[in-house]
Amino acid sequence: MKKKTWFGLWYLLLSIMIAGCSGGSGGTAEPGKTSGEEPDQPAAADAVELSFWYGWTGPEAEALEKLIAKWNEAHPEIQVKGLSQSDYQKQLTAITGGNPPDVASQFGQNVVPWGLRGAMMPLDDYIAKDGVDLDDFVPAALSTSQHEGATYAIPTAMHVSMLFYNKDILKEAGYDGPPETLGELKEYIKALSIVEDGGRLSRLGLWPGMDAYTFSYAYGGSFYDEAAKQVTPDHEGIQSAIKLSKEIWDQYGSDNLDRFSSGLGQYMSAQNPFFSGKYAMTVDGEWLPTFIKQFAPDLNYGIAPIPYDENHPERKNPGNVTTSVFYIPKGAKHPDASWAFIKWMTEPEQMAEFTAAIGNLPTRTSAFASPLYENVPGFKEFLDYSASENLKSFPATSFTNEYMTEFSAQVDAILRGTVSIEDGLANVKEKIQPLVK
Amino acid sequence: MNASAPVHSPRPKARWSRKERRYFWLGLAFASPWIVGFLAFTVYPFFGSLYLSLTEYDLFSTPRWVGLQNYEHILQDDRFYTSLGNTFFMAFVSVPITLVASLLIAVVLNFKARGINYYRTIFYLPSVIPIVASALLWTWMLNPDFGLVNMALRALGLPDPAWLLDPRYTKPSLILMSLWGSGAGALIFLAALQGVPKQYYEAAQVDGAGAWHRFWKITLPALSPIILFQLIMGLIGAFQIFTESYILAGGKADGGSLGGPEQSLLFYAVNLYQEAFVFLKMGYASALAWILFIIVLLMTLLLLKTSGRWVYYGGE
């Protein structure tokens, strides 16, 4: 072998090594320390300074900053500095690097996976000490932060979906109200969809790949059997929900649905398919009325409960709750101060102020009656719905993210016909059950 | 493997003179910033990930030694096979196509035409744009109903697939994207083309070789080292493809839906990212990274081994 080739070989090996190592590095964490700027308010000389990382941006971040300013005004001894940090991976690297923010926001689905691994401080001692009334919280929202009796975060906002319907389109089809039962829903979808020659869709009653979680609960489904420590993706209720989706899906076929959906406008625009009449109905969250007011103020629409199973009227008003939470990262330097701030932020008054400003639902029932929600479009219906007994949330376990990912992937494959319902759900079980500890 | 190359000194080692020794240390001192960086940011993480791949590590607690368990698990993980299949597709279909395309572009750009510099610039421009931006641009281009690509196809009476939504067409969509960025490769080929000695062509012409013959017998062999280089770099790149899939398959901050329709865009690096940062399985992800490293290493060695048959180095 010639010298030159040797050199080339080593050079290549080195470059592969460098390439192989550069994958997936999460970048360096910014220190959670704030720069030495003077706060706007006269702070106490020995004030504790807390850094607070949150995922909201733009106007939502402004609403939060307003509250932070309010807190700083009232608490000269604890000054909070907010930082809009929508890259949640940064929190991971900061906690691992031992330099976390003092308070941070997160998605509810990450709470228990992170909490059980020790990335979030359990808050139960604080809750007991300060007598925070956990019964005031919507149970389905609180349960996203709890696992086996420990509470790892306080849910500050929640989301739930309802059925939106276009009144004009329904009227035109001869309906004077929304579908109430799942049987009616099927019939409505058929009647409201328009298929042109050659199978091309020009209007859809409801997108068939609708929220599998919400409809699983509508059929009384359950994803986890706590007592038996068994994941139950093959639960009868879940199967029924997927069957419903599949039935509607197959009426039109993947090709036509793909073609139709690819021509639909952006979600956050006037061309949103529900706003432009391409969807007669849609299942969506409490933020949608605010978008409608912004993008399609003339839309004549109604908000209705998720249709229920006619054989089980006791399951009326089903829903799937997801949350946004505040938590104290492991290794935070002033946990007592961090807790004081979280506790204040999640008191009914502050919670109402923040959630009303960003158009999210509050998680505390005592906040429901706040006059601040009167100006938020659609909130009357959504707040009433939030009191429903039949709201559930995805079981919070150490493997929540794996479970949801695998479930979504298999549902997608089932709808597209690459796997049968039984086999797809069996795949989920086979993959996730070993993760149960 | 160790990172110190065997020293083939040109002559038997004599004792260094004082001057030589001084220069040696001086040289080391000058190179030290790089050496320190290399040790801290390449060598240490390299062996760190080897250790972690033999543990169960969730970022927050101390790593727990599990031996080869992660590697055993990989062999039974269907997401591993899905992602490997998708990645192989990109490596063995997309890389050759892009290579041929950039070679052809280079040959065309090598003509002495008026304004050729402008064309060169235009072809290179896409490579200047960040991947994220070009991926977003292509989601528009590939929109089945009002995207440019399908408008053109329809005008020609050809079928117009639902590119990014139909699992059969998601990877071809990415190939289209990478073709658009093949100007960077073309630029390297162009530089090499201009280094081919003219007299070869002249001699061949005197012997009566046609244009096709000249390309086949002179241009390609002269370019072969560059082709090898591009092939290897392309393969390494294909095995690490991440951003395009992350953008096109709607990557969310919560790592929600990665992988696109029917997991057709679940590439190796995407799967690795998800295992590491969404499922918090750092040990498992490190093992995945090592498997990737071994695969890329084997591929590269194979290419280098066979390269002797078709790569010509000038002056050998």
Side-chain angles (χ1 to χ4, degrees):
Chain A
M1 227 189 213
K2 291 213 167 46
K3 209 171 63 196
K4 212 185 296 183
T5 343
W6 260 116
F7 175 77
L9 187 74
W10 282 112
Y11 176 77
L12 265 165
L13 277 182
L14 278 183
S15 50
I16 300 166
M17 256 173 70
I18 292 167
C21 290
S22 63
S25 63
T28 50
E30 280 148 39
K33 209 177 67 201
T34 47
S35 58
E37 284 172 49
E38 284 301 309
D40 313 341
Q41 304 81 7
D46 54 351
V48 176
E49 203 175 76
L50 298 183
S51 55
F52 171 32
W53 293 4
Y54 50 82
W56 289 280
T57 53
E60 299 182 330
E62 280 165 36
L64 197 51
E65 286 291 347
K66 258 201 205 125
L67 273 172
I68 295 173
K70 217 177 187 175
W71 161 272
N72 286 341
E73 195 108 15
H75 303 82
E77 75 291 354
I78 303 175
Q79 291 294 298
V80 175
K81 234 181 138 77
L83 177 69
S84 177
Q85 176 63 277
S86 49
D87 179 2
Y88 286 94
Q89 305 304 346
K90 283 246 165 61
Q91 293 181 17
L92 277 182
T93 33
I95 296 167
T96 318
N99 209 347
D102 297 292
V103 182
S105 76
Q106 251 304 341
F107 296 107
Q109 69 188 64
N110 284 332
V111 173
V112 171
W114 289 28
L116 285 177
R117 292 173 172 85
M120 295 185 179
M121 264 183 74
L123 303 174
D124 300 279
D125 294 351
Y126 287 123
I127 291 168
K129 195 178 63 153
D130 287 344
V132 175
D133 178 16
L134 290 184
D135 293 341
D136 187 28
F137 285 82
V138 172
L142 185 64
S143 67
T144 58
S145 302
Q146 291 181 323
H147 187 80
E148 291 178 354
T151 313
Y152 296 101
I154 304 288
T156 183
M158 70 175 209
H159 319 290
V160 73
S161 290
M162 290 179 76
L163 180 76
F164 290 75
Y165 59 99
N166 185 316
K167 286 182 174 170
D168 296 340
I169 296 178
L170 264 65
K171 193 176 243 143
E172 192 188 304
Y175 294 118
D176 42 12
E180 288 183 12
T181 65
L182 290 158
E184 282 173 15
L185 179 71
K186 273 188 230 180
E187 174 201 325
Y188 270 59
I189 294 171
K190 228 188 183 117
L192 296 170
S193 302
I194 302 178
V195 185
E196 290 169 2
D197 307 340
R200 278 207 171 210
L201 279 156
S202 63
R203 188 172 74 202
L204 204 48
L206 176 72
W207 177 253
M210 60 261 205
D211 179 4
Y213 303 107
T214 299
F215 281 87
S216 294
Y217 299 139
Y219 280 106
S222 153
F223 285 86
Y224 187 53
D225 184 342
E226 184 87 45
K229 292 239 176 230
Q230 288 286 317
V231 295
T232 53
D234 48 358
H235 190 284
E236 202 182 329
I238 300 171
Q239 296 219 25
S240 307
I242 298 173
K243 273 199 189 85
L244 172 72
S245 280
K246 179 85 177 131
E247 206 177 302
I248 304 164
W249 188 280
D250 289 345
Q251 267 172 30
Y252 308 108
S254 296
D255 279 356
N256 290 319
L257 287 167
D258 283 344
R259 188 158 295 289
F260 176 72
S261 74
S262 62
L264 299 173
Q266 292 276 341
Y267 182 80
M268 280 188 78
S269 76
Q271 283 71 46
N272 176 309
F274 180 67
F275 306 171
S276 61
K278 294 249 181 191
Y279 291 170
M281 299 181 285
T282 190
V283 171
D284 214 328
E286 74 283 347
W287 55 82
L288 196 68
T290 304
F291 286 174
I292 294 175
K293 189 178 159 186
Q294 194 179 341
F295 295 112
D298 302 332
L299 185 69
N300 184 13
Y301 73 101
I303 306 175
I306 300 289
Y308 64 95
D309 184 348
E310 44 273 78
N311 309 321
H312 291 276
E314 77 278 6
R315 294 187 194 147
K316 255 189 185 175
N317 302 338
N320 175 43
V321 170
T322 55
T323 55
S324 304
V325 306
F326 293 144
Y327 74 101
I328 307 176
K330 171 182 134 183
K333 286 168 201 65
H334 316 284
D336 295 1
S338 300
W339 164 253
F341 177 65
I342 290 182
K343 174 175 172 281
W344 181 84
M345 283 297 281
T346 53
E347 275 164 4
E349 192 187 330
Q350 282 72 245
M351 185 184 280
E353 190 175 326
F354 178 51
T355 51
I358 65 171
N360 285 181
L361 293 164
T363 54
R364 293 181 83 141
T365 46
S366 57
F368 287 3
S370 166
L372 291 172
Y373 297 115
E374 278 163 20
N375 301 325
V376 187
F379 257 49
K380 196 195 157 315
E381 290 88 343
F382 270 99
L383 285 169
D384 288 349
Y385 206 66
S386 300
S388 158
E389 296 281 299
N390 288 327
L391 298 188
K392 302 224 166 49
S393 56
F394 197 80
T397 58
S398 61
F399 51 88
T400 296
N401 282 315
E402 286 95 319
Y403 195 171
M404 285 169 92
T405 300
E406 187 62 19
F407 181 70
S408 304
Q410 292 294 341
V411 169
D412 187 33
I414 290 169
L415 291 180
R416 291 182 172 277
T418 45
V419 67
S420 71
I421 296 184
E422 293 73 26
D423 292 350
L425 295 176
N427 289 345
V428 180
K429 190 166 185 144
E430 190 187 340
K431 183 138 176 115
I432 304 301
Q433 186 57 41
L435 303 177
V436 180
K437 292 211 167 72
Chain B
M1 51 163 278
N2 66 19
S4 63
V7 185
H8 289 252
S9 44
R11 56 200 163 88
K13 213 163 176 180
R15 276 197 37 224
W16 280 0
S17 70
R18 234 156 94 202
K19 199 168 164 189
E20 274 177 327
R21 205 171 309 146
R22 214 182 76 218
Y23 279 152
F24 172 74
W25 288 111
L26 208 60
L28 267 187
F30 274 115
S32 65
W34 181 86
I35 293 172
V36 169
F38 178 72
L39 289 174
F41 297 116
T42 302
V43 177
Y44 169 67
F46 187 77
F47 290 106
S49 77
L50 181 59
Y51 162 70
L52 285 178
S53 75
L54 302 170
T55 66
E56 194 175 85
Y57 177 47
D58 63 16
L59 267 183
F60 304 113
S61 14
T62 336
R64 195 172 61 84
W65 183 265
V66 293
L68 290 173
Q69 196 184 301
N70 285 326
Y71 291 94
E72 284 159 19
H73 189 129
I74 286 176
L75 297 177
Q76 301 149 13
D77 182 355
D78 54 313
R79 288 172 61 85
F80 164 75
Y81 292 111
T82 308
S83 64
L84 199 61
N86 287 333
T87 310
F88 274 165
F89 181 93
M90 291 312 280
F92 299 130
V93 179
S94 176
V95 171
I97 290 178
T98 316
L99 197 79
V100 170
S102 48
L103 185 56
L104 292 179
I105 293 170
V107 169
V108 171
L109 290 181
N110 201 22
F111 284 123
K112 304 242 177 310
R114 259 177 48 161
I116 192 74
N117 284 337
Y118 294 103
Y119 288 109
R120 287 175 189 167
T121 311
I122 288 166
F123 271 101
Y124 185 67
L125 266 183
S127 318
V128 180
I129 299 169
I131 300 185
V132 175
S134 59
L136 286 170
L137 176 76
W138 274 90
T139 52
W140 279 95
M141 300 273 294
L142 292 169
N143 183 299
D145 267 16
F146 45 80
L148 268 177
V149 176
N150 273 5
M151 276 187 184
L153 289 173
R154 274 197 295 271
L156 297 169
L158 294 165
D160 51 340
W163 293 102
L164 291 169
L165 292 148
D166 185 333
R168 287 168 303 179
Y169 286 99
T170 46
K171 285 191 282 288
S173 300
L174 287 196
I175 294 178
L176 270 181
M177 268 181 65
S178 61
L179 277 178
W180 183 68
S182 52
L187 203 71
I188 297 174
F189 277 128
L190 188 63
L193 276 174
Q194 299 189 332
V196 182
K198 292 267 180 301
Q199 51 269 47
Y200 291 179
Y201 289 116
E202 286 159 5
Q205 232 163 339
V206 169
D207 289 344
W212 177 245
H213 241 87
R214 289 204 298 273
F215 175 76
W216 207 244
K217 295 283 186 200
I218 299 170
T219 313
L220 268 188
L223 288 183
S224 57
I226 307 296
I227 294 176
L228 176 68
F229 171 79
Q230 297 264 63
L231 202 58
I232 290 176
M233 288 325 252
L235 276 182
I236 294 174
F239 274 99
Q240 295 189 32
I241 188 166
F242 174 83
T243 315
E244 293 90 332
S245 160
Y246 192 76
I247 300 285
L248 297 179
K252 291 198 200 77
D254 60 354
S257 59
L258 292 169
E262 275 189 34
Q263 307 284 296
S264 58
L265 291 180
L266 185 77
F267 295 122
Y268 203 97
V270 174
N271 185 39
L272 199 149
Y273 169 88
Q274 195 167 27
E275 293 286 354
F277 291 101
V278 181
F279 302 158
L280 306 177
K281 294 183 185 155
M282 284 289 158
Y284 188 64
S286 299
L288 281 172
W290 271 85
I291 297 282
L292 176 66
F293 170 69
I294 289 162
I295 291 171
V296 175
L297 184 68
L298 288 177
M299 295 261 173
T300 311
L301 287 176
L302 200 73
L303 268 175
L304 283 173
K305 264 235 157 342
T306 57
S307 69
R309 290 186 213 151
W310 58 274
V311 174
Y312 301 89
Y313 291 101
E316 283 192 17

